[in-house]
Structures are given as C-alpha cells and as structure tokens.
Amino acid sequence: MQLGCIDPVAPEFQFEDDLTIIEGQASSTVGSSFINIQRTSNEFGIYRNIFQEGAIVTFDNLDSGESVTLREQIDTYVTPDDFAVATGETWELNVTLTDGSTYKSLPETVIAPVPFDDISATFEKELFFREDSGKFVPGHSIAVSFNEPVADKNYYLWRFRSFEKLILCKVCDNSIFRNGDCERNPPPPAVLPVGVPRRAPYYTYGCETPCWTIRYNESIEILDDKFTNGTFVEEYPAANIPLYTNENIVVSLEQISLSFDAYQYYRRLQDIIDNNGNFDAPPPAAVIGNVFNVNDDKEMVLGRFTAASNTVKSIFIERTDILDDEVDPPPIFSFETDPPIGNPISFAPCIESRFRTGTEPEGWIGN
C-alpha cells in the first residue's frame, strides 16, 4: 500500500433553518457563567442566529437541590452576581422557551482545575488572518506557563475577558440620545434658516462615569495533555487579543479543566471554525453537545452546557504607544450643538451588562 500526501479540503456545510442552539457554562469564576439560546434562520438568503427572548433558564445542583434562575440581559442569560460552582458539584441545565419547548442537559460534574504559574503578553504586527477583512490584524499573543500533573489525564480550554476603558458610551445614528435611548431625527424642514446647520448623521455621547467595554474570545484554544503530561509547559499560546483600539487593556484569562466529552465537543467546534474562518458562523449539525429536547428525542440540538472550574490570572497591557491600525476604532466625535438641537446633552450612562461594566477590573492601572 502506498501512502501519499492529500491536499486538505475545507468542508462544506449546508445551513439548516430553525435549529436550536443552546451554549454556555456554569463557572467557578464569579461573573463568567452564561447561557446563549438561539434559533437559526434563513430569510431571503440571509443566514442568522436569532436570540430567543423570554426563556426560563435554570442551573440545578443535583447534589444539594439548589436551583439558580438566570436573568435575560442583552442577547444572553446570566446568573446572579455572586454565583459560582465548586469542584465536585454536579450541575444540570434546564431551559423552557416561550413556545413551550423544554430542554435539558446531561449532568456535568465540575473537575478540579490545574493552576497556571505565569501569564505574559507579546505584541505581534500579524497576530492572525481575518477572513472578513482579508488581512492580518495586529494584537497581543497571551501565553501561560504551568506544571502539568502526571497523575491525571487533563484537557484544557482557555477563555478570556478583556477590559478597555470606554470614551463613548453611546452612538446614535440619524438620532439623538433622549429618555435612555436613541430617538430618530425628525425630517428636516425643506428650507433651514440662514446659519442654522442640519443635524449630523450621528451623534456621540461620552460616559457619565468610568466605564469599560468587555470582549471575549474570537477563537477556541484547547489542549490535550497527550504530549505534555507531567512536564512544565512553558509559554503556551492561550489567547489572541486583537488591537481593537490603542487604549490600555486588562486581560483576565481563565484556564478551564474539561471532561473528555467537553474536550471532544470543543475540538470539533475548533475544527469547523478554523476551516470556516468565522466564529459567528452558524454551526452545522456535526456540533451536537449534551443538550436535548425533553419531549422530542429526534430534535437535533446544537451547542453544549459545560460546568467547569478554572484558575484565573489578569495582565495589564499598555497599548497607547502602539501606532498600528486599530481593528475597531471609535467613531470621530460628533457632539450635539445648539443649534440645531435645543438643550444639547453630551453624556450617556454606563449600562451594566455582560459586555460593559462600571466596576474597575482587577489589575487595572491608572485612571
């Protein structure tokens, strides 16, 4: 038998309409637990994942009987502020949608985490290639070092939350900020008085109080200890942080210990994302996790519920002196003036969510 080289071919997936996606985690880190619930949609050739509002979502502790209700918050469901799981506990996810569909996960037992000793950041002008922009983007590669236990088989997942100081808390396109929201501009008069400017295409509003934007992984970073078991793992690449802006940033990195089943799920998802080049692309039917429809065992449910313990370290990265192009630069300031707007305002509140906070992140340096 002859063995030869075969050129890799990116898989092609057919998008399926009206599939349910339930994805999230119960974490040992306060503020990191969440559940996303979506349904796939194909309208007029536009593929979307639509967030499912109004669901009843609970994490249920099968050891103690405790039931924790999640609350809806801007396209996701989050736990109470003080919620965290502990090693050895067994948790289950339960979801009821507004149409009465009921979903449940298989039980998940929290595995003891493996601590990491060090975290470092290195700036790279070509951090990774982005399909949507067709070019390499600059940013920081985050690496970790840790002692890999010899006694146990270990699987790892790394997730991060990054915190950047916000200058603008609201941008209103063709509108102005009033009563907590962007209100559409009225149609301009056919003839404006001499010297009175028309309203701008958009207006920007600074933050009333200190505020940070929170970002999450664009990729999946995992490791099987097959080749590292019992060794000292030094500067293993665990996360990529694009240069979204040249504002200073804190990166809070979680090293999560996974079960074999959870690792297999994330490995399949990683393969699909790497081949598809888009983290937000609707996942195909191949990525089925541990969630099922209680009343319809034939329904294919995508996504996974993971209960996991982790260790966390933060690193502060100075970026104000970096001159490379920003990936997500803020818009040019456009503040209200009088005229054409009476009683102009310049600021908007910092609204707490999974993607924004007014609480100074741990490790932040300076104002």
Side-chain angles (χ1 to χ4, degrees), residues 18-20 39 95 99-104 288 291-302:
D18 204 32
L19 292 176
T20 300
R39 276 200 170 132
V95 173
D99 64 4
S101 300
T102 303
Y103 300 89
K104 182 188 291 286
I288 297 172
V291 182
F292 59 94
N293 187 319
V294 173
N295 300 311
D296 182 2
D297 58 4
K298 293 181 179 172
E299 180 182 352
M300 190 165 50
V301 183
L302 308 186

Side-chain angles (χ1 to χ4, degrees), residues 37 60 64 97 120 143 153 157-159 165 175 177 180 203 212 222 240 269 277-278 292 317 325-326 336 361:
I37 307 173
D60 296 293
S64 66
L97 302 183
S120 61
K153 179 65 181 173
L157 169 70
W158 287 276
R159 279 181 169 153
K165 196 75 170 284
S175 56
F177 185 68
Y203 287 102
W212 287 261
I222 53 176
N240 288 327
L269 189 58
N278 186 351
F292 59 94
I317 305 172
D325 290 340
E326 300 166 295
E336 293 182 13

Side-chain angles (χ1 to χ4, degrees), residues 63-304:
D63 303 310
S64 66
E66 177 188 10
S67 183
V68 177
T69 300
L70 282 69
R71 68 183 187 276
E72 187 175 328
Q73 184 189 83
I74 309 180
D75 292 350
T76 193
Y77 293 88
V78 297
T79 55
D81 294 340
D82 59 352
F83 174 79
V85 301
T87 300
E89 294 178 341
T90 300
W91 289 85
E92 182 182 82
L93 168 68
N94 284 277
V95 173
T96 301
L97 302 183
T98 54
D99 64 4
S101 300
T102 303
Y103 300 89
K104 182 188 291 286
S105 75
L106 297 176
E108 280 275 298
T109 299
V110 181
I111 300 172
V114 175
F116 59 102
D117 304 314
D118 189 37
I119 180 173
S120 61
T122 303
F123 180 74
E124 298 182 12
K125 287 183 173 292
E126 295 185 348
L127 183 64
F128 63 87
F129 186 81
R130 254 193 173 172
E131 295 286 344
D132 56 357
S133 63
K135 62 181 181 180
F136 285 93
V137 299
H140 284 85
S141 174
I142 307 297
V144 296
S145 300
F146 60 98
N147 283 297
E148 223 288 321
V150 68
D152 302 312
K153 179 65 181 173
N154 292 289
Y155 304 95
Y156 302 93
L157 169 70
W158 287 276
R159 279 181 169 153
F160 72 78
R161 290 186 295 169
S162 68
F163 300 83
E164 296 167 75
K165 196 75 170 284
L166 273 176
I167 299 173
L168 300 174
C169 270
K170 198 72 176 178
V171 178
C172 290
D173 292 316
N174 193 32
S175 56
I176 59 175
F177 185 68
R178 294 294 186 276
N179 303 313
D181 205 354
C182 293
E183 297 185 351
R184 301 290 292 177
N185 284 335
V191 179
L192 287 171
V194 176
V196 175
R198 292 180 180 271
R199 286 191 175 186
Y202 68 90
Y203 287 102
T204 57
Y205 302 85
C207 299
E208 291 179 349
T209 56
C211 194
W212 287 261
T213 187
I214 307 173
R215 305 182 197 261
Y216 298 86
N217 296 58
E218 290 190 15
S219 61
I220 294 175
E221 307 297 338
I222 53 176
L223 174 67
D224 177 348
D225 75 350
K226 180 178 180 180
F227 299 109
T228 61
N229 188 43
T231 67
F232 178 69
V233 181
E234 187 172 10
E235 294 191 346
Y236 185 84
N240 288 327
I241 318 294
L243 186 71
Y244 295 111
T245 72
N246 62 6
E247 296 294 324
N248 293 336
I249 189 172
V250 162
V251 178
S252 176
L253 184 70
E254 303 175 23
Q255 180 166 291
I256 303 169
S257 295
L258 297 176
S259 65
F260 174 73
D261 288 344
Y263 172 78
Q264 288 290 88
Y265 168 81
Y266 285 111
R267 184 179 64 81
R268 292 195 303 270
L269 189 58
Q270 183 188 57
D271 289 343
I272 290 166
I273 292 169
D274 288 347
N275 285 317
N276 210 34
N278 186 351
F279 188 74
D280 294 322
V287 192
I288 297 172
N290 60 351
V291 182
F292 59 94
N293 187 319
V294 173
N295 300 311
D296 182 2
D297 58 4
K298 293 181 179 172
E299 180 182 352
M300 190 165 50
V301 183
L302 308 186
R304 192 182 200 284

Side-chain angles (χ1 to χ4, degrees), residues 31-37 51-55 57 69-81 161 214 216 350-358:
S32 291
S33 299
F34 70 96
I35 292 292
N36 291 334
I37 307 173
F51 175 69
Q52 299 300 291
E53 300 177 340
V57 184
T69 300
L70 282 69
R71 68 183 187 276
E72 187 175 328
Q73 184 189 83
I74 309 180
D75 292 350
T76 193
Y77 293 88
V78 297
T79 55
D81 294 340
R161 290 186 295 169
I214 307 173
Y216 298 86
C350 178
I351 305 297
E352 289 284 333
S353 73
R354 188 167 176 260
F355 304 98
R356 184 173 291 188
T357 184

